[in-house]
Amino acid sequence: MASETAPPSVTPPSGTAVTGPTSLQELRRLESSRRGLTDAEAEARLADVGENVLPAARTASWPRLFVRGVRDPFTTVLLCLGVVSATVTAWGTACVILSLVVVSCVLRATGEHRADRSMAALRDLVATTATVLRRPDADGLPLEREIPAAELVPGDVIRLAPGDLVPADVRLLRANGLTVHQAALTGESAPVVKKALDVPGPVDGGPFEQPHLCYQGSGVASGSGTALVLETGARTRFAQAHGMPARREASAFDRSVHGISWVLIRFMLLTPPLVLMANATLRDRGLETLPFAVAVAVGLTPEMLPVIVTTCLARGASLLARTHGVIVKRLPALHDLGAVDVLCLDKTGTLTQDRPVVERALDGDGQDAPDVLDWAAVNAWWTLQLADLPVPDALDEALLDAADGAREPYEGVAALPFDPVRRLATAVVRGRLGTHILVVKGAAEDVLERCALEPAERERLLARAAREADDGLRLLAVATADRPARIRPYTPADERGLTFRGFVTFRDALAPTAARALKDLATRGVTVRILTGDHPGTAARVCRDLGLDPGDIRTAGSADDHAATVVARCTPEDKARIVTALRKAGHTVGFLGDGVNDVPALHAADVGIVPRDAVDVARESADVVLAHKDLTAIDHSVTAGRHSSGNIATYLCVTLSSNLGNVVAMLAAGLLLPFLPMLPAQVLVQNLCFDAAQLAFAYDRPAPGVLRRPTVLRPRDFLRFITGFGLLNSVADLATFGVLALSLYGPDALDDAVVFHSAWFTENLLTQALVMLLLRSGRGLAEGRGPGPVGRAAAVLAAVGLLLPLTPLGALLGLSALPMEYFLLLTVVLALYAVALWAVRTRYERRSGEGG
């Protein structure tokens, strides 16, 4: 390996702004020198500034997660209703309500605690060791030693070599052909050239574009360097991103559930006073109706919502983890996945495999030229062998794969490895007797500059190279030269008077599952947006290769860039801004990223998604962690989210419409009858039976149509739905009054409170069983499927309604047997109700489809 040389002092021209201190000023500020710190100085600084480690991620304890579950609006309201029930000595109601609160909070806390433990197992260090220059004392010679990266301190001088992870924020003092991968920080897929500058010049762009600085989280791709440690631990840019607050705006799930919750909460808070005032005014019944008023409020409450939601999401998350290795850190994020209609991602590593492949080799006229590929492979092989490189460059690896065997006829003599300054690599091989052949490849401008060409011809070839680059291809130029054989070493001065051979073009290797996954996401109504830091042509090429129409490609910062399918030249701030703009436009946005540069966008999205091998800070900022950076895993996750969300939506439609109808009927009956329409204990048992049956929705399979579109819980849609179906349900309840009058022969029949309570109890459970069957997620009775968990639960609910009044428990509740005439007439009412329910549902779905 070539020895390092100190860079010459660079003085900026007069009037040029200087962006930072000189290397000497930095050394003085840190009270260090190019020879490094002494052991005593390093030890004192370590005690002062602390270890060079990322801030520990604090995971919430199980009790804290349990208490957090109580903040859910419905859980809080249920808790309040339980306290009110206990206050009026309705102990059965209070115990059941409080039990639901505990079960919901336990399920939610357990699921999220399990996800936190899975995430803790994925944590790893950014770098484990570092090569540092330390002196035993002030007069001692500096010695290289390998120490744990945690022991580095500001002022240390470290060595960087290929394959090293940069262990801290550093400034280069020396560099020899140094390039680093900054993908974890900036998203750039190609290595970035870094060099030592004594006096930095002005730089357009952010700190990551400054060539003399390297940051923790990047990795050395090639070359070597000596660097001064500027910041360690919590003061590095990587750690600052790691410590970003995890709070984000309310997600799609939070907005939807809270919107529905607060509308219902207002109704619930309004119902008890209305019941009390109406009974006091019209029936001269005062506080004795308070238990009934509380029971009516509980009847309007979807008591099982926290349990159903948590069970659906926990089952979906568990299934994803078990079958696809996907970790859902925050359970509501699974619903957000089901609601996603825009997925934003970078192309590198997602649509492509982050490795190039040879597209074609061509001559100066654009015709296929296989010999150009052969010469490029000869250069790649002998440069790798003779320059003692640790690993082949990605482009060289692609050349060797594409031209296997091309190097065999040649014997290598010498090599000049790639240099980021001259942007060339040269291999020297034996030619005919007494000759050597220089095989040169590199950037088109630099190779053509060294070829024996007329200016016009050089300009023509440069224009062809530019066209290939605009088409999204990477390009290498290849040239050769015959030289007399010699023993004297070859130098860059020999790279002159070359004969141009042609170009080799490369494209990004496509991820094998990307094209299919894009089609699957499109069929599910998910629009993919590409936010990349690459050249617009490169991004467009990848989209076309995958069958995705790139449309009008925009660069970040242009007008309405958030509306474009592909946005190129994106900074981290641009990605977060575009995601925020999409959310404000009414979309539910998912963002897939894996680097520090993606953290702002991960926070801005409704659901942040990262692969398991993402940098630590990105994993901790995300809601969902994939086993691999694969769009297929996202498709599976979206499907699981819609499965869970579809069941939640069905539960809400069924329970809210049924509950609203019952409450309207109860209020009407309470004003018409000389007694309470149903005893509080009977209301409680009826709710318990209906709630227990609805647990089946957590295990139901939604119709395929539910999985083909985003599932969003829109409060207005739900209110329109439950109002229409709730009023229909109340009509069926009121029709039962007529049935009772006819079946019990005479107007005085309705004065029998026991008969009325029994009849209405049975009718309510039967209508609720019908609602469960007919209002499922897009499923019809004519689908030819088995009854499933919901069908079986509805059958059990109907059996309880018919049989409970005949049992001793029914007698304890104040229920009695009913005459056969009642059941005959009730069958007619239920048949008419089922037909009306089916007709209204069909009309509603048709209108919803036209509106969508």
Side-chain angles (χ1 to χ4, degrees):
M1 184 176 295
S3 61
E4 297 174 346
T5 58
S9 178
V10 179
T11 304
S14 176
T16 302
V18 176
T19 61
T22 66
S23 56
L24 181 59
Q25 288 171 332
E26 286 282 27
L27 286 166
R28 287 176 176 171
R29 179 180 69 84
L30 295 170
E31 297 180 0
S32 182
S33 72
R34 292 177 181 268
R35 298 192 301 155
L37 300 173
T38 65
D39 290 335
E41 289 172 335
E43 185 176 347
R45 294 189 187 192
L46 184 63
D48 184 39
V49 302
E51 291 190 334
N52 177 35
V53 295
L54 292 176
R58 296 184 59 187
T59 57
S61 63
W62 193 93
R64 183 182 295 271
L65 292 173
F66 180 89
V67 173
R68 188 185 299 170
V70 181
R71 299 177 188 172
D72 178 87
F74 269 127
T75 306
T76 304
V77 170
L78 282 175
L79 194 60
C80 294
L81 288 174
V83 172
V84 172
S85 299
T87 303
V88 298
T89 66
W91 300 112
T93 304
C95 290
V96 170
I97 292 175
L98 295 177
S99 297
L100 291 175
V101 170
V102 172
V103 169
S104 172
C105 293
V106 166
L107 286 174
R108 180 174 298 182
T110 301
E112 295 188 1
H113 186 62
R114 186 183 298 118
D116 284 345
R117 285 188 301 174
S118 299
M119 282 301 301
L122 295 177
R123 288 182 59 86
D124 51 20
L125 292 175
V126 176
T128 55
T129 62
T131 302
V132 65
L133 291 179
R134 291 271 177 88
R135 293 174 289 152
D137 52 55
D139 298 325
L141 294 176
L143 302 174
E144 283 191 13
R145 65 181 73 169
E146 192 167 325
I147 66 171
E151 296 179 8
L152 286 178
V153 294
D156 264 327
V157 175
I158 62 172
R159 301 285 197 194
L160 297 174
D164 286 349
L165 290 172
V166 179
D169 290 355
V170 301
R171 175 177 181 143
L172 293 173
L173 302 176
R174 300 172 183 266
N176 180 30
L178 185 67
T179 62
V180 300
H181 283 291
Q182 294 188 153
L185 299 166
T186 65
E188 296 171 283
S189 57
V192 178
V193 175
K194 294 291 184 178
K195 52 190 176 182
L197 296 177
D198 188 44
V199 182
V203 177
D204 294 330
F208 299 116
E209 296 184 28
Q210 299 188 41
H212 62 294
L213 298 177
C214 298
Y215 294 94
Q216 184 185 53
S218 55
V220 179
S222 63
S224 59
T226 302
L228 172 68
V229 175
L230 302 179
E231 299 289 357
T232 60
R235 293 167 299 282
T236 65
R237 288 187 175 272
F238 191 93
Q240 289 169 10
H242 184 281
M244 286 182 64
R247 290 189 61 84
R248 53 161 62 92
E249 294 181 17
S251 67
F253 179 82
D254 296 329
R255 294 194 303 269
S256 300
V257 172
H258 286 198
I260 296 170
S261 299
W262 287 112
V263 170
L264 291 174
I265 286 169
R266 293 187 185 98
F267 278 114
M268 289 160 49
L269 296 177
L270 187 62
T271 299
L274 284 177
V275 172
L276 290 173
M277 287 189 294
N279 278 275
T281 303
L282 300 178
R283 292 291 178 183
D284 197 26
R285 294 193 295 259
L287 289 177
E288 66 269 19
T289 61
L290 181 58
F292 176 71
V294 172
V296 171
V298 173
L300 185 61
T301 308
E303 300 101 325
M304 295 298 291
L305 179 62
V307 177
I308 294 285
V309 167
T310 307
T311 303
C312 286
L313 297 180
R315 288 189 73 247
S318 177
L319 184 65
L320 273 177
R322 201 165 53 246
T323 59
H324 301 293
V326 176
I327 298 172
V328 179
K329 295 173 54 183
R330 186 178 59 88
L331 284 183
L334 188 59
H335 166 271
D336 295 339
L337 276 171
V340 162
D341 61 343
V342 175
L343 175 64
C344 298
L345 49 86
D346 194 347
K347 69 172 187 60
T348 305
T350 307
L351 304 180
T352 65
Q353 298 184 51
D354 201 14
R355 66 177 180 85
V357 294
V358 172
E359 173 74 5
R360 60 184 296 218
L362 57 152
D363 60 19
D365 296 324
Q367 303 300 313
D368 288 332
D371 63 308
V372 175
L373 177 60
D374 292 342
W375 282 119
V378 168
N379 174 287
W381 174 257
W382 289 111
T383 301
L384 178 64
Q385 298 300 314
L386 300 177
D388 194 26
L389 300 178
V391 292
D393 175 81
L395 296 180
D396 286 349
E397 203 165 19
L399 289 170
L400 294 174
D401 288 341
D404 188 35
R407 61 187 180 272
E408 292 176 359
Y410 299 96
E411 179 185 353
V413 175
L416 300 175
F418 177 82
D419 186 301
V421 177
R422 69 186 220 286
R423 301 199 298 172
L424 300 172
T426 298
V428 183
V429 298
R430 297 189 189 280
R432 296 186 303 274
L433 185 62
T435 64
H436 287 168
I437 304 175
L438 274 67
V439 186
V440 181
K441 68 172 172 55
E445 298 88 343
D446 298 275
V447 172
L448 291 172
E449 181 185 344
R450 291 162 172 80
C451 290
L453 295 170
E454 295 294 329
E457 177 67 5
R458 182 177 290 109
E459 290 300 321
R460 185 183 72 83
L461 293 173
L462 286 172
R464 173 165 292 281
R467 286 196 298 273
E468 297 291 341
D470 289 340
D471 196 33
L473 297 173
R474 281 191 265 182
L475 199 76
L476 285 180
V478 182
T480 63
D482 291 339
R483 298 282 191 268
R486 74 189 197 198
I487 300 176
R488 181 166 48 88
Y490 286 89
T491 69
D494 295 303
E495 298 167 337
R496 294 288 185 273
L498 307 177
T499 301
F500 177 73
R501 292 286 183 173
F503 299 110
V504 180
T505 61
F506 302 82
R507 60 175 173 82
D508 289 328
L510 301 179
T513 60
R516 178 65 185 173
L518 286 174
K519 290 180 182 178
D520 290 342
L521 288 169
T523 61
R524 300 193 193 287
V526 178
T527 302
V528 174
R529 302 285 176 85
I530 313 299
L531 310 181
T532 179
D534 280 341
H535 187 280
T538 304
R541 177 77 184 215
V542 169
C543 291
R544 289 194 296 270
D545 289 345
L546 290 170
L548 178 66
D549 182 9
D552 181 18
I553 299 177
R554 311 274 180 89
T555 55
S558 59
D560 294 329
D561 54 2
H562 67 278
T565 300
V566 178
V567 184
R569 303 300 190 194
C570 281
T571 65
E573 293 73 20
D574 289 324
K575 294 179 181 181
R577 175 181 54 79
I578 291 171
V579 168
T580 301
L582 288 168
R583 290 186 66 191
K584 289 181 177 178
H587 296 286
T588 303
V589 183
F591 183 86
L592 173 63
D594 62 356
V596 175
N597 62 306
D598 294 320
V599 170
L602 289 169
H603 282 289
D606 285 290
V607 53
I609 311 167
V610 299
R612 185 171 300 189
D613 57 358
V615 297
D616 202 54
V617 56
R619 285 204 308 266
E620 292 178 4
S621 301
D623 303 305
V624 177
V625 181
L626 308 178
H628 306 286
K629 196 173 184 180
D630 184 357
L631 286 182
T632 302
I634 295 183
D635 182 56
H636 291 312
S637 302
V638 167
T639 301
R642 292 184 182 178
H643 190 133
S644 300
S645 299
N647 287 340
I648 293 170
T650 302
Y651 163 74
L652 282 171
C653 289
V654 169
T655 192
L656 294 180
S657 58
S658 179
N659 289 356
L660 180 63
N662 284 340
V663 167
V664 170
M666 280 187 182
L667 292 176
L671 299 179
L672 295 173
L673 298 174
F675 50 81
L676 291 177
M678 195 174 288
L679 299 178
Q682 295 167 349
V683 174
L684 172 64
V685 171
Q686 177 185 283
N687 285 342
L688 275 176
C689 294
F690 190 33
D691 290 340
Q694 289 180 105
L695 277 173
F697 285 118
Y699 302 89
D700 193 23
R701 277 186 75 187
V706 174
L707 305 180
R708 286 196 292 267
R709 59 184 182 272
T711 307
V712 182
L713 307 176
R714 294 187 176 90
R716 287 187 178 180
D717 292 345
F718 270 103
L719 288 176
R720 188 170 70 249
F721 183 96
I722 66 175
T723 300
F725 287 95
L727 292 177
L728 183 61
N729 181 274
S730 64
V731 170
D733 286 341
L734 293 174
T736 306
F737 299 167
V739 168
L740 284 170
L742 291 173
S743 62
L744 299 182
Y745 310 106
D748 295 335
L750 291 181
D751 291 339
D752 190 333
V754 174
V755 172
F756 184 91
H757 294 161
S758 303
W760 201 11
F761 182 89
T762 298
E763 183 268 346
N764 268 338
L765 291 186
L766 292 177
T767 55
Q768 286 168 340
L770 274 177
V771 169
M772 286 180 64
L773 287 175
L774 297 180
L775 294 187
R776 293 168 68 196
S777 302
R779 286 182 174 268
L781 296 176
E783 286 185 351
R785 298 178 181 271
V790 173
R792 291 190 290 270
V796 171
L797 183 65
V800 169
L802 292 170
L803 300 177
L804 185 62
L806 307 178
T807 65
L809 178 60
L812 288 175
L813 293 173
L815 303 176
S816 65
L818 295 166
M820 186 58 64
E821 294 89 341
Y822 168 76
F823 289 106
L824 293 175
L825 292 173
L826 181 61
T827 302
V828 175
V829 172
L830 293 177
L832 292 174
Y833 176 62
V835 171
L837 195 65
W838 183 266
V840 173
R841 172 188 146 174
T842 303
R843 182 169 178 269
Y844 176 84
E845 288 180 346
R846 187 182 301 117
R847 290 182 61 184
S848 297
E850 292 172 356

